[in-house]
């Protein structure tokens, strides 16, 4: 049986380098591992406990929860916006954390990766995403990291899947996440 990894990308821009990184993960997933890019994150409303009521949860939020529940593991791909993770990714984590203690992310292996223009590759955003996912109940793989600096120049004419260094590191991340997902 294939290990299912669901990738959530914190950038909504079609040409995002972080989206391209997630696309690379889909393409290079080793045999026995299925990485799927979740497309519905843009439609999830901001978390509001008043609308998170059993029987009337917004469809986009319910679909996100169901997709994560079906996955064996999560790959969060976090760009860095003003030194932290983007609101769309934090919002997804918030929806996945509920109901408290039993949300779709509870106990789910989570790895966080990303790329950014700066010299550190978005490590602040990735650290914040790890923190939020862990508090939400995810089993964050703290030692599984991939921060790629200089995205604007590095990927100006090259898709991440065409970068041997990136695909080697990304493959290692997917393998570790798949290992954790198969054990969960």
């Amino acid at each position: 049986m294939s290990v299912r990894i669901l990738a959530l990308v914190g950038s909504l821009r079609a040409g995002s380098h972080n989206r391209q990184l997630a696309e690379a993960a889909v393409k290079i997933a080793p045999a026995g591992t299925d990485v799927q890019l979740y497309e519905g994150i843009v439609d999830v409303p901001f978390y509001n406990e008043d609308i998170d009521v059993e029987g009337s949860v917004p469809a986009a939020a319910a679909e996100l929860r169901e997709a994560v529940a079906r996955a064996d593991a999560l790959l969060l791909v976090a760009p860095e916006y003003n030194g932290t993770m983007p609101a769309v990714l934090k919002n997804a984590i918030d929806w996945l954390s509920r109901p408290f203690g039993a949300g779709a992310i509870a106990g789910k292996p989570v790895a966080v990766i990303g790329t950014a223009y700066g010299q550190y590759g978005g490590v602040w955003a990735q650290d914040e995403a790890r923190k939020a996912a862990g508090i939400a109940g995810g089993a964050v793989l703290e030692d599984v990291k991939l921060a790629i600096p200089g995205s604007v120049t590095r990927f100006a004419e090259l898709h991440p899947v065409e970068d041997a260094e990136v695909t080697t590191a990304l493959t290692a991340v997917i393998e570790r996440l798949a290992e954790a997902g198969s054990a969960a």
Side-chain angles (χ1 to χ4, degrees), residues 93-163:
I93 293 168
D94 290 345
W95 276 104
L96 295 172
S97 72
R98 300 302 181 118
F100 181 74
I105 199 172
K108 192 85 54 179
V110 178
V112 181
I113 64 170
T115 185
Y117 177 70
Q119 66 181 339
Y120 301 111
V123 295
W124 290 348
Q126 292 172 38
D127 287 346
E128 291 294 320
R130 281 184 199 89
K131 176 183 171 186
I135 291 170
V140 177
L141 306 180
E142 294 288 347
D143 63 331
V144 177
K145 298 180 179 182
L146 177 58
I148 305 165
S151 62
V152 171
T153 53
R154 183 167 191 159
F155 303 125
E157 297 182 21
L158 186 70
H159 191 284
V161 78
E162 299 165 341
D163 185 315

Side-chain angles (χ1 to χ4, degrees), residues 48-72:
N48 176 344
E49 207 167 358
D50 291 340
I51 63 172
D52 188 9
V53 178
E54 189 173 336
S56 63
V57 172
E63 289 166 11
L64 172 65
R65 286 175 171 169
E66 290 166 12
V68 170
R70 287 190 306 270
D72 298 307

